[in-house]
Amino acid sequence: MACLIPSYVALYLFTTSIPGWYSGLKKPDFLPSDLISFYGIIILFCLLGLTLYSIWNAGLGRSEVQAAFQLFLFTLTLLMLWFVSFFYLQSVFFAFIVMVMVIAVTLCTLAQILRSAVNAAFFIIPCLILLLIICYANLQIVELNAGLPVWGIIP
């Protein structure tokens, strides 16, 4: 449930912004279609769920695993903030800043996972690759849409 609820919120924010604001953005050529992006979001949250499951199975009684668990939850929270800032607030610049923080915390989570729950690394590394692609796409959208309000709008 910890990864399902955020994935539903993320998919809702993504799908409701497609017909309006998001379709009007200039996007980089390498960005896939909206349907492929939809499935990419599903894959991302499935991998996050498997990461959480692997951390949980490593034994939350150990302090190293608890640290990995807390870092993972912080990563998940920041990722939700990215979806809100990009798709709801329509702030591509602020979303880029948040995505950089997501990647930094994910790297910290990976380092902690390698110390405590190594099996989870098999799931969080593909997540990190997807997050890097999203971050680069976000940066390109910021550059291609320079006229957008820096901090977005408050709907």
Side-chain angles (χ1 to χ4, degrees), residues 58-112:
L60 286 177
R62 299 185 359 227
S63 63
E64 300 88 18
V65 178
Q66 285 179 355
F69 179 73
Q70 290 169 351
L71 282 168
F72 177 83
L73 291 180
F74 187 52
T75 301
L76 194 60
T77 304
L78 282 175
L79 186 58
M80 285 311 305
L81 180 61
W82 180 83
F83 275 98
V84 168
S85 62
F86 191 93
F87 292 109
Y88 182 70
L89 297 177
Q90 302 173 5
S91 174
V92 293
F93 177 73
F94 181 65
F96 173 70
I97 293 170
V98 171
M99 184 53 71
V100 170
M101 293 188 310
V102 169
I103 290 171
V105 175
T106 304
L107 286 170
C108 294
T109 305
L110 175 62
Q112 188 63 34

Side-chain angles (χ1 to χ4, degrees), residues 46-48 50-52 54 119-128:
C46 286
L47 287 169
L48 288 171
L50 291 169
T51 303
L52 179 59
S54 299
N119 290 339
F122 293 112
F123 303 114
I124 202 165
I125 290 173
C127 287
L128 185 59

Side-chain angles (χ1 to χ4, degrees), residues 38-54:
F38 180 84
Y39 289 121
I41 293 169
I42 292 172
I43 290 169
L44 175 66
F45 279 97
C46 286
L47 287 169
L48 288 171
L50 291 169
T51 303
L52 179 59
Y53 178 76
S54 299

